[in-house]
Amino acid sequence: MIRFGVIGTNWITESFLSAAGKLEDFELTAVYSRTSDKAEEFANKYDVQLTYTDLDEFVKSNEFDAVYLASPNSLHASQAILCMKNGKHVICEKPIASNTKEVKEMIKIAEENSVVLMEAIKSTLLPNFLAIQENLHKIGKIRRYFASYCQYSSRYDKYKQGTVLNAFKPEFSNGSLMDIGIYCVYPAVTLFGEPKEIQASSYMLESGVDGEGSILLTYEEMDAIIMYSKITNSYVPSEIQGEDGSIIIDKIHTPESVKIHYKDGTIEDISRDQDSESMYYEAQEFIELIKAKKLQSKQNSHKNTLITANILETTRKQIGLHYPADK
């Protein structure tokens, strides 16, 4: 049994717990929140007795082995490092940190303390993403990766009315790229590695973060075109183009339908059934790593996480998106 503590008492933590709770090796034993009311209210939902409002006390507890971290992006690095220095394994919500400097430090601390550190990118662990990987050879020489994830934010209406919520605040290392764009970038890195060149453009909001944007990644023999947005919707599928055919992906962030369209006109459905909630697979991967005494995931590896962080950081520099955490 792997005992978990959680940092963050929001809807994403509830989604993770709903999924992870279906694993027989998972047990929630502790909750941290800045206020006792929130900590106790959240803990009561899951019949958990231990609550903390002091982070130092939380990380020193012997009542859990691992931490699911879902606080604001700007706090990920400092909180994860504190947990790992106290021997806790950490699965950290995406993006794992604000910049590459923080990611490098997190990886260093994880290695020094022999604990698992994994970025909680669910996409690359889903059955249909694995189907893409395993069938990629069928479409011949890859020439283009196209990924689109544009989702109108439920918080954008309030933003337009003059209320700037956390999702649109640079002090929390937020914005469209970090919240949405990463779902397009990380799969590209997992499939094709580090690009040679990065070109980016975006529409910047007055709050100081990006509302939407595009990235062009150049590889040796192919390119990757990425579109993302928190201020518009898109209904266009994503696609990997090869010389012998193309793989059509319904949703790059949570693929459910994956088909190969061959150049001779035939279509092969390579979709796989997904029996569990999307976050189940990241929780399963993380727990299996701990039990096998492996320090990083093959899919969501430290290398892939660092390459992704570098793409995000380079993109931000090009579009003029700066965070207080960059200082």
Side-chain angles (χ1 to χ4, degrees):
M1 188 68 70
I2 306 298
R3 304 167 305 163
F4 275 72
V6 294
I7 297 177
T9 53
N10 47 38
W11 68 268
I12 194 71
T13 304
E14 291 185 349
S15 296
F16 178 82
L17 293 176
S18 174
K22 294 176 173 61
L23 289 158
E24 60 181 20
D25 298 325
F26 175 88
E27 181 183 8
L28 178 64
T29 59
V31 172
Y32 167 82
S33 184
R34 287 172 298 170
T35 66
S36 56
D37 287 347
K38 278 190 176 181
E40 289 170 12
E41 180 185 358
F42 193 87
N44 288 338
K45 291 181 183 178
Y46 300 95
D47 197 27
V48 171
Q49 305 303 314
L50 285 174
T51 61
Y52 297 86
T53 55
D54 185 301
L55 193 60
D56 288 318
E57 287 183 18
F58 173 79
V59 299
K60 288 180 171 65
S61 172
N62 294 318
E63 299 299 323
F64 56 93
D65 318 293
V67 175
Y68 171 72
L69 204 165
S71 56
N73 299 340
S74 56
L75 300 177
H76 285 180
S78 61
Q79 291 179 339
I81 286 170
L82 194 57
C83 290
M84 292 188 291
K85 282 184 174 179
N86 284 273
K88 304 296 190 290
H89 305 285
V90 174
I91 177 170
C92 183
E93 260 309 322
K94 58 81 200 162
I96 196 169
S98 300
N99 50 51
T100 55
K101 181 181 178 182
E102 290 183 347
V103 174
K104 289 176 182 177
E105 181 64 16
M106 292 166 79
I107 292 171
K108 176 174 171 285
I109 297 299
E111 291 172 345
E112 287 176 353
N113 290 274
S114 298
V115 292
V116 179
L117 171 66
M118 190 180 94
E119 189 164 13
I121 293 283
K122 62 184 180 181
S123 317
T124 48
L125 297 162
L126 295 175
N128 281 298
F129 185 83
L130 301 181
I132 294 167
Q133 279 183 305
E134 292 168 19
N135 288 275
L136 202 58
H137 65 281
K138 294 181 178 179
I139 62 171
K141 179 69 75 176
I142 308 298
R143 294 305 188 190
R144 175 164 292 133
Y145 165 95
F146 167 72
S148 172
Y149 184 19
C150 304
Q151 182 174 289
Y152 189 94
S153 172
S154 59
R155 299 168 180 84
Y156 187 50
D157 286 335
K158 286 192 175 181
Y159 177 88
K160 289 190 289 185
Q161 293 166 5
T163 302
V164 182
L165 299 175
N166 290 356
F168 293 107
K169 290 183 177 180
E171 55 263 43
F172 291 112
S173 302
N174 278 335
S176 182
L177 174 68
M178 301 293 260
D179 189 33
I180 295 288
I182 189 172
Y183 279 115
C184 299
V185 174
Y186 209 104
V189 171
T190 304
L191 293 171
F192 308 113
E194 187 168 13
K196 291 171 56 184
E197 296 179 21
I198 302 164
Q199 294 175 269
S201 63
S202 76
Y203 171 72
M204 299 295 292
L205 300 174
E206 289 183 1
S207 68
V209 303
D210 57 325
E212 57 84 34
S214 303
I215 309 172
L216 173 63
L217 306 177
T218 303
Y219 290 85
E220 195 66 44
E221 297 183 302
M222 60 165 283
D223 61 23
I225 301 167
I226 289 166
M227 302 191 317
Y228 57 91
S229 176
K230 284 176 70 73
I231 59 176
T232 59
N233 284 320
S234 175
Y235 308 95
V236 177
S238 296
E239 182 179 39
I240 303 171
Q241 299 174 8
E243 292 186 356
D244 296 332
S246 297
I247 299 177
I248 310 299
I249 308 156
D250 64 338
K251 297 176 294 185
I252 194 65
H253 57 292
T254 49
E256 295 174 357
S257 173
V258 184
K259 296 178 180 179
I260 301 177
H261 290 242
Y262 293 101
K263 64 181 180 182
D264 66 2
T266 60
I267 299 174
E268 180 185 3
D269 190 340
I270 60 170
S271 306
R272 295 177 181 172
D273 291 335
Q274 182 177 306
D275 300 325
S276 302
E277 297 156 80
S278 58
M279 297 181 81
Y280 171 91
Y281 301 92
E282 66 184 48
Q284 181 183 48
E285 173 85 352
F286 183 62
I287 287 174
E288 286 180 355
L289 291 171
I290 295 171
K291 295 182 73 174
K293 295 184 169 25
K294 294 180 180 178
L295 298 184
Q296 59 176 301
S297 167
K298 183 179 178 182
Q299 291 287 92
N300 295 1
S301 64
H302 293 170
K303 180 181 179 180
N304 288 346
T305 285
L306 187 53
I307 292 172
T308 299
N310 181 60
I311 292 172
L312 300 182
E313 187 170 292
T314 302
T315 295
R316 288 200 296 111
K317 286 178 181 177
Q318 291 185 11
I319 66 177
L321 175 52
H322 304 289
Y323 296 141
D326 295 329
K327 294 178 182 177

